[in-house]
Amino acid sequence: MKDKMIMTPGPTTIHEEVRKAMSKPIINPDLDIEFYEFYKNTSSKIAQLLNTNNEVLILSGEGILGLEAACASLIEPGDRVLCIDNGIFGKGFGDFVKMYGGECVYFSSDYRKPIEIKELKVFLEKDNDYKLATFVHCETPSGLLNPAKEISLLLKEYNILTVVDAVSSVGGELIEVDDWKIDIALGGSQKCLSAPPGLTFMSISSDAWKSILNREKPIIGYYCNLAIWKDWYEKKWFPYTQPISDIYALDCAVTRLINDEKRYERHSVIANAVRKALNVSGMQLYPLDGWSNTVTAIAVPEGINEKEVREYLLEKYNIMIAGAFGALDGKVIRIGHMGENCTEEKVFITLKYFDKTLRKFGVKLKKEIHKEFVDNLD
Ligand SMILES: *Cc1c(COP(=O)(O)O)cnc(C)c1O
C-alpha cells in the first residue's frame, strides 16, 4: 500500500534523508567528545533559525517538555505570572504555572482573533507586576498567529521575562528572538522542522539564565530543571544520556530547512492559496484574522460531523488531516502545510480529495477547492 499522507499540523512527513540520518551507527554520546561538538553544532543551526545569539538547548522529550521545563525552572512559589490566552495552548500554559506554585493571572481574549496589542497595553498599564509572561506564537488548534514581536517588546517595557511557545511556527514563520527580545523561545522537532517527534529545543537569554540560577528556592525535579545544563559544554557532561539518533535526525532536518532560503515565502504562498481557495469555495476559516502560514483551521460546516469526514478521507484516499481537541473539539478541521508538507503537490492532492469528500458528505461547494488553489499560487 502507498504510504499514508500525513497532512496534520504535526507530526509531519519525514524526508528520506532525515530517516537515513536517524539510522546512522551511533557513538557513545556520554564518552565520545565528538558528540559534544555535534550537539553544539546542531544547537547553533537552531539558533540561526531563531535568529539569536542566545544559548540553545535540545531536550529529550517533545514540545510539552519545553513548556514545562521553562515553567519549572523560572517559577518560584508565589511568583506572579501573566498567561496570555487566546487559544488552547495559551490557556494550558497556566496549568504548568500553577503546578510549580506560580500565581497565574490570565489575559484572555477572543479565540478567533490574534492578541490585540492596544488591549494588552491597557491591561499592563493597570497591572504589570509580573516576573514572567507566557504566550503562544502560533495557536495550532485554531490556526492563529499572534504578533509575537509586538507582544514581546511590550512585555519587555515592563521588564517582564517572556516565554514563547513557538512550537508550530519555528521554521515556517519568521521568528527573531534577539530583535524581539524573547527570553525563552520553545520549539519541537515534529512540526515545521519535519524531524521525528521526541525532541524539544529552546533558546535561553542571559536574563532568563540569571533568573534560573539565582533563585531563592531550588528547582523541583531533575528532568525539567534547566539549571543542570549550565556548563554542559565546558565540563563535557550531559545530565543524562542523549538520544543521539533523534539528534542526528534533527540536525539533518534543520540543515535542510536552513538551506531552503525561500522557506518563509513557500509557507506564505501556499497558505495564502489554501485560504483563498477555501474562501471562494464557500468554506469558512476559523480565525477571523491573523491566519498562520503553517496550519489552516476550517470551521466545520453546519450539520457535518468532522470525524466522519476525516475518517472517510483517510480510509478512501489514505490522507490524514486533523480535528482539534478541548474547546475546539468537533468545531474545526485542520490541514497542516508545514515543513516537508508545505509543497504544491502535497497540498494539491490533499485539497483535491478533501473537496471530493466534502461533496460526498453533502457540502455544497461553490468552486473546486484544488483548482482554486492552483489559480491562487502566485
Ligand atoms: C505541537 C505543539 C506543542 C507540543 O505538544 P504536543 O501536542 O504534545 O505535540 C506545544 N505547543 C504548540 C503550540 C504545539 O502546536
Side-chain angles (χ1 to χ4, degrees):
M1 201 169 97
K2 239 178 66 210
D3 281 348
K4 206 177 278 176
M5 274 180 69
I6 308 172
M7 296 300 285
T8 53
T12 51
T13 308
I14 293 163
H15 193 273
E16 197 184 341
E17 279 179 21
V18 176
R19 276 197 291 119
K20 283 189 177 150
M22 199 174 186
S23 68
K24 274 198 309 193
I26 66 161
I27 52 179
N28 184 318
D30 290 316
L31 301 180
D32 216 316
I33 292 300
E34 213 182 295
F35 185 71
Y36 291 85
E37 297 304 327
F38 188 84
Y39 181 105
K40 199 167 185 8
N41 197 258
T42 307
S43 298
S44 21
K45 288 179 192 169
I46 294 169
Q48 196 180 326
L49 207 53
L50 292 170
N51 291 296
T52 185
N53 290 316
N54 290 339
E55 181 172 5
V56 168
L57 294 178
I58 303 161
L59 306 185
S60 175
E62 58 74 61
I64 292 295
L65 173 68
L67 274 59
E68 182 169 352
C71 290
S73 302
L74 284 173
I75 299 169
E76 294 199 53
D79 280 342
R80 294 189 82 226
V81 180
L82 177 65
C83 292
I84 297 178
D85 152 39
N86 64 333
I88 291 173
F89 280 101
K91 173 110 186 175
F93 242 132
D95 298 335
F96 291 121
V97 170
K98 291 177 222 163
M99 215 177 276
Y100 289 95
E103 185 198 320
C104 169
V105 176
Y106 293 101
F107 170 82
S108 298
S109 70
D110 197 330
Y111 276 30
R112 299 185 74 170
K113 289 184 194 156
I115 293 296
E116 190 67 64
I117 295 298
K118 273 190 238 133
E119 287 172 14
L120 182 61
K121 213 172 193 157
V122 171
F123 178 92
L124 285 168
E125 273 161 14
K126 287 191 212 122
D127 180 10
N128 51 52
D129 183 21
Y130 299 102
K131 176 173 178 182
L132 65 137
T134 63
F135 69 91
V136 180
H137 192 199
C138 170
E139 270 289 353
T140 331
S142 53
L144 194 75
L145 192 78
N146 277 316
K149 175 183 180 180
E150 287 76 12
I151 298 174
S152 183
L153 289 177
L154 177 60
L155 291 163
K156 293 310 276 187
E157 282 179 27
Y158 295 98
N159 285 321
I160 300 170
L161 290 169
T162 54
V163 177
V164 184
D165 174 347
V167 175
S168 65
S169 56
V170 177
E173 296 274 4
L174 177 70
I175 169 158
E176 301 202 80
V177 165
D178 287 358
D179 285 356
W180 303 356
K181 301 193 165 110
I182 294 172
D183 290 295
I184 296 193
L186 303 157
S189 53
Q190 82 275 30
K191 304 279 166 91
C192 304
L193 269 64
S194 295
L199 297 175
T200 186
F201 52 84
M202 59 180 71
S203 64
I204 306 173
S205 72
S206 56
D207 283 351
W209 271 126
K210 264 185 225 142
S211 176
I212 291 167
L213 299 172
N214 296 305
R215 294 166 51 115
E216 280 173 21
K217 298 219 173 75
I219 296 167
I220 294 169
Y222 187 78
Y223 223 54
C224 283
N225 181 345
L226 297 173
I228 54 175
W229 282 86
K230 198 67 196 154
D231 303 331
W232 68 270
Y233 182 71
E234 290 72 17
K235 292 187 181 147
K236 302 287 179 285
W237 175 87
F238 284 120
Y240 41 85
T241 301
Q242 293 305 293
I244 178 167
S245 301
D246 286 348
I247 297 176
Y248 280 159
L250 180 68
D251 182 75
C252 178
V254 181
T255 307
R256 286 179 55 78
L257 203 54
I258 53 182
N259 286 341
D260 174 11
E261 281 165 14
K262 297 214 162 145
R263 57 187 177 272
Y264 302 126
E265 192 185 324
R266 172 166 59 91
H267 280 84
S268 152
V269 166
I270 286 182
N272 256 305
V274 169
R275 294 192 287 262
K276 282 189 183 151
L278 287 165
N279 276 329
V280 296
S281 304
M283 299 297 284
Q284 217 187 69
L285 301 179
Y286 185 80
L288 303 173
D289 189 6
W291 306 274
S292 168
N293 287 330
T294 61
V295 49
T296 294
I298 303 153
V300 176
E302 202 67 39
I304 297 294
N305 179 328
E306 64 86 20
K307 286 185 185 70
E308 288 172 11
V309 169
R310 287 190 290 116
E311 272 164 27
Y312 187 88
L313 190 60
L314 182 60
E315 273 161 33
K316 186 141 171 91
Y317 302 115
N318 218 12
I319 300 169
M320 179 181 274
I321 59 174
F325 42 89
L328 294 179
D329 185 27
K331 292 189 181 155
V332 299
I333 289 190
R334 295 179 300 155
I335 298 174
H337 31 77
M338 52 175 78
E340 296 286 350
N341 287 347
C342 190
T343 68
E344 287 179 18
E345 295 81 358
K346 285 183 190 168
V347 175
F348 177 83
I349 293 168
T350 305
L351 292 178
K352 178 173 165 186
Y353 293 107
F354 182 54
D355 180 294
K356 265 181 179 259
T357 303
L358 288 174
R359 285 171 206 275
K360 166 90 188 160
F361 279 81
V363 178
K364 301 260 179 297
L365 294 170
K366 291 184 200 148
K367 301 272 182 178
E368 289 180 278
I369 304 174
H370 49 295
K371 292 197 178 151
E372 293 299 321
F373 170 70
V374 175
D375 287 349
N376 281 290
L377 280 171
D378 47 29

